[in-house]
Amino acid sequence: MDIGAKEIELIVREVLAGINWNNPPAAFIPAQGDHGVFEQVEDAIWAADAAQRQWVNDYKVEDRRRIIEAIRSMARNHAESLAGLVQEETGMGRKEDKIQKHLAVIDKTPGVECLITEAISGDGGLMIEEYAPFGVIGAITPSTNPTETLINNTISMIAGGNSVVFNVHPGAKNCCAHCLKLINGTIVENGGPANLITMQKEPTMEAVNRMTEDPRIRLMVGTGGMGMVNALLRSGKKTIGAGAGNPPVIVDDTADIALAAREIYLGASFDNNLLCLAEKEVFVMESAADELIWQLQQEGAYLLQTDQLNDIMTFAMTTKDGSYEVNKSWVGKDAGLFLEAIGVQNKEVRLLICETDKAHPFVMVEQLMPILPIVRLKTFEECVKSAKDAESGNRHTASIFSRNVDNMTKFAKEIETTIFTKNGATLKGVGIGGEGHTTMTIAGPTGEGLTSARSFTRRRRCMLAEGGLRII
Ligand code: NAD
């Protein structure tokens, strides 16, 4: 007997309809994970979906607050060991700075407190708008802030009533799995549901595709390079995309140069310049250039000569189809290692600086290395134009050192970045040493900006008509 696709579909439907899902047959029970870490992404989605239903049905907002506080407290105790594990596995960045990044997301990622119900009461009745969960969120995380993004996304997303299936960067899968298990352990110890955050043990592109195709995943959140963000946007699934930056800094002829050097040195050397929002190139007005370079050297920066820069270019960059790309094996390495490779011994140095022209590959390509090109230009207008070219329309982060309010305003308007810092390291724009909350997911391309719990919720309205419940 021949059976067509239609008949097979009908048989499957009948079988599925007859199953008691409260006590399903063994074939339908998903594999058990290891504290949220699963072999197959399907099981990770199944478990996160079940956990999310419990999270919204069986727990109050106060439980969310209490459990998030427990996660913060556990993560604070592990900040140093997590920073060490990330540094060891990825081979990028500086442990002491990674501890600071962990503490920033632990202490300054907002929780349920930012989900404030809005109400309007008038002659037409009472309207409330509330922040409701999406459901299960699929989150892609980068190698540059792996566990920091995992902690930050977890707090923001579960505060909003969601569960999360992570696809972490393959180069950071072990530290992320360890961190995810610690968080799930804390949630369960504090009476919360198992598997509120899950991941496939071996992250793959195939798993990302399964996530975008699965109807139970209601939102994708991608933090990383533009290739990944664009792939998610093309998938057709609702996406929050946090992509690449290449933040320019302008130092004009009114700036406090000592302050500029101190802050640029702090930001550009932090974690070997791995942060997407770190200062990546400087455009300085001619009259301030010599002093800025001298002051940067006083801070500890090493000034590369032209031949030394050319030597570094030969291994730190590669060319493909005539355009430059970073050599990934040099991303986030210590400045001292670059010097060692060109025959200079200086292990203590944190930042290399060099003078280049405005079209140099170190200016135009987001290199994520502790090498800061400095371009001297005659006018402020040239600085703005070159900064815009280098930022390449990412609209991510930019900064200015100036005492001229007109210049500050002009650059901010032209560059249109999500984060704009004045007279301070760009780190301060993400709450590290500055005001405002911290996030590791800065969603420029899709417009949510510096994400928090509110970004991962749906606004829903309830309208009570006829003036009911009003007291005037
Ligand atoms: P990456 O793009 O190589 O990887 C990020 C994640 O995307 C990884 O999990 C990777 O496995 C996945 N991925 C890569 N290509 C994909 C594709 N085609 N489809 C689906 N998934 C894919 O980035 P990285 O090297 O880990 O991180 C550095 C980059 O991330 C830099 O460009 C940096 O500016 C950016 N970043 C942005 C933010 C932000 O908040 N905007 C934060 C951190 C990092």
Side-chain angles (χ1 to χ4, degrees), residues 101-215:
K101 284 202 290 186
H102 278 86
L103 292 175
V105 294
I106 291 164
D107 293 333
K108 296 190 77 178
T109 302
V112 293
E113 65 277 11
C114 64
L115 305 175
I116 297 169
T117 300
E118 286 167 37
I120 296 176
S121 159
D123 293 341
L126 175 70
M127 186 278 306
I128 59 167
E129 281 196 1
E130 297 194 300
Y131 295 98
F134 271 92
V136 187
I137 297 176
I140 318 284
T141 55
S143 60
T144 47
N145 316 311
T147 48
E148 299 92 325
T149 308
L150 199 139
I151 294 168
N152 166 251
N153 281 184
T154 296
I155 294 175
S156 298
M157 292 173 186
I158 71 171
N162 306 286
S163 63
V164 197
V165 181
F166 283 98
N167 194 79
V168 304
H169 193 286
K173 63 183 180 186
N174 297 323
C175 54
C176 285
H178 175 69
C179 181
L180 186 134
K181 288 185 204 174
L182 286 174
I183 295 175
N184 273 328
T186 305
I187 294 173
V188 171
E189 271 166 30
N190 285 274
N195 301 319
L196 198 54
I197 60 172
T198 65
M199 65 180 266
Q200 176 170 291
K201 191 172 172 191
E202 296 295 333
T204 60
M205 290 304 161
E206 176 58 24
V208 175
N209 291 339
R210 296 268 173 90
M211 284 159 74
T212 58
E213 284 161 10
D214 195 304

Side-chain angles (χ1 to χ4, degrees), residues 48-68 71 112 133 135 154-164 187-188 190-196:
D49 186 40
Q52 198 270 333
R53 285 166 211 272
Q54 287 181 36
W55 192 228
V56 284
N57 292 328
D58 305 342
Y59 294 86
K60 296 184 174 166
V61 172
E62 185 48 38
D63 294 318
R64 294 188 205 170
R65 187 195 310 274
R66 180 177 55 76
I67 286 171
I68 286 170
I71 293 172
V112 293
T154 296
I155 294 175
S156 298
M157 292 173 186
I158 71 171
N162 306 286
S163 63
V164 197
I187 294 173
V188 171
N190 285 274
N195 301 319
L196 198 54

